[in-house]
Amino acid sequence: MIRRLIIIAIATVALMACSGQKRLEQYKDVYTERPTTIYVAPVDDRSQHKAVRETKDSVYNASISIAAKQLYLTAADPLTDMGYYVLGPLASAQIAATETRTGKQLRNENINDYSTELGIDAILFIDLISWKQTSNSWTAEIEYTLRSTHTGAELMHVWVNSTKFLHTDHKGNPKPLSDDLRFAERYGCDLETAQRCRLVEITNQYVLRDLPSGERARVYDAERYVQSHPEYFYLRIQRDGTVELFRTDQIELSNEN
């Protein structure tokens, strides 16, 4: 149910005149290499945790750690929906446990062994850079990089600043959406953690579903000429749950709404 609601939200995206390149231009290396199997590397969580002095510090740290796990666990679904084969969590955990190279080495050095020994065509790296929040909004900076194991080429790079807003009551307290309440109840988490988890899940859906369709999906030639999102952009999940995309020069206007 949650996944269906997310996809519906993605379908209502308003581009707000934010034009990127056509998909054929934005993902020319993806069309050239046609990757089939993708390995999602463990999320690099760079967000700053608080020094634990009070209970609320521990609560905050637990909340952002859970959101980082949710970011990793929900990256496979949109890729699978787009027709790619994504290694399951058990196989991915085994690969991560036996990998002796650092994340920096995997991003910059030869990774042909993932292709020749494991049959993996590309590795998806996700960096959770930072969290910010106000009384009724949560913001995450996330960077996505898809790297070919055959050529070492960067097949995709996206930086997104993603914010989820809520209405407030007359006392200024945030009023969660019914979807937020259902999520919190389903996963047994507090409402703040639910906001963060829904934020990263929707961001994954939006960013990764922009990729060209994989070989396991029905591909239409017209897809190549659909407008793609920019490499750097701002994603706003508004108070009613709709999703909007903004260029850097539009973000001040979006924050006023």
Side-chain angles (χ1 to χ4, degrees):
M1 179 65 179
I2 295 295
R3 180 179 168 192
R4 215 175 310 148
L5 289 170
I6 289 171
I7 292 173
I8 291 171
I10 299 301
T12 64
V13 170
L15 293 182
M16 297 294 290
C18 182
S19 57
Q21 294 179 310
K22 289 183 173 60
R23 195 169 288 179
L24 181 60
E25 300 165 344
Q26 182 88 342
Y27 300 112
K28 59 182 179 180
D29 290 333
V30 176
Y31 283 109
T32 299
E33 294 200 22
R34 303 302 297 175
T36 300
T37 303
I38 296 176
Y39 161 60
V40 181
V43 166
D44 183 5
D45 184 4
R46 303 179 190 175
S47 59
Q48 185 174 1
H49 288 59
K50 293 184 177 181
V52 179
R53 297 185 178 89
E54 304 176 36
T55 301
K56 64 180 182 180
D57 296 328
S58 296
V59 172
Y60 173 84
N61 290 343
S63 180
I64 63 173
S65 294
I66 291 170
K69 292 178 182 177
Q70 184 75 355
L71 177 62
Y72 173 74
L73 292 172
T74 58
D77 280 351
L79 293 171
T80 302
D81 290 342
M82 294 305 295
Y84 296 96
Y85 176 75
V86 183
L87 269 66
L90 180 59
S92 295
Q94 290 176 333
I95 291 173
T98 57
E99 179 57 71
T100 58
R101 286 166 290 190
T102 65
K104 184 177 181 180
Q105 288 173 321
L106 287 176
R107 293 164 187 262
N108 297 289
E109 297 180 5
N110 190 306
I111 51 173
N112 289 152
D113 54 304
Y114 274 81
S115 170
T116 57
E117 297 178 15
L118 301 173
I120 295 169
D121 299 309
I123 301 177
L124 176 64
F125 300 97
I126 306 176
D127 298 330
L128 180 49
I129 299 168
S130 66
W131 282 103
K132 295 179 182 177
Q133 69 182 89
T134 67
S135 60
N136 70 323
S137 71
W138 293 262
T139 299
E141 287 190 27
I142 307 173
E143 187 173 21
Y144 297 80
T145 306
L146 184 66
R147 189 176 183 223
S148 167
T149 62
H150 300 283
T151 64
E154 195 173 90
L155 304 178
M156 177 194 77
H157 176 261
V158 173
W159 176 94
V160 56
N161 177 292
S162 190
T163 299
K164 187 176 186 301
F165 297 98
L166 287 182
H167 286 291
T168 56
D169 60 21
H170 66 285
K171 294 182 179 180
N173 298 316
K175 296 170 60 178
L177 299 174
S178 57
D179 294 345
D180 302 329
L181 294 171
R182 282 193 288 268
F183 187 99
E185 182 178 0
R186 179 180 179 183
Y187 292 101
C189 61
D190 60 88
L191 288 172
E192 179 171 329
T193 301
Q195 303 307 318
R196 297 180 192 279
C197 288
R198 295 200 68 234
L199 166 64
V200 298
E201 186 170 359
I202 291 171
T203 304
N204 269 342
Q205 286 281 344
Y206 187 79
V207 170
L208 298 175
R209 287 176 67 86
D210 191 60
L211 280 166
S213 297
E215 291 191 358
R216 298 177 66 188
R218 180 175 294 180
V219 180
Y220 298 95
D221 189 59
E223 172 192 279
R224 296 169 177 252
Y225 306 100
V226 172
Q227 210 75 11
S228 182
H229 59 53
E231 184 177 357
Y232 299 89
F233 64 93
Y234 290 80
L235 193 69
R236 295 296 179 254
I237 306 167
Q238 301 293 6
R239 292 166 178 82
D240 61 357
T242 58
V243 182
E244 295 180 332
L245 170 67
F246 297 90
R247 295 192 309 261
T248 304
D249 59 349
Q250 294 174 308
I251 195 59
E252 291 183 5
L253 176 62
S254 74
N255 284 335
E256 293 173 0
N257 295 336

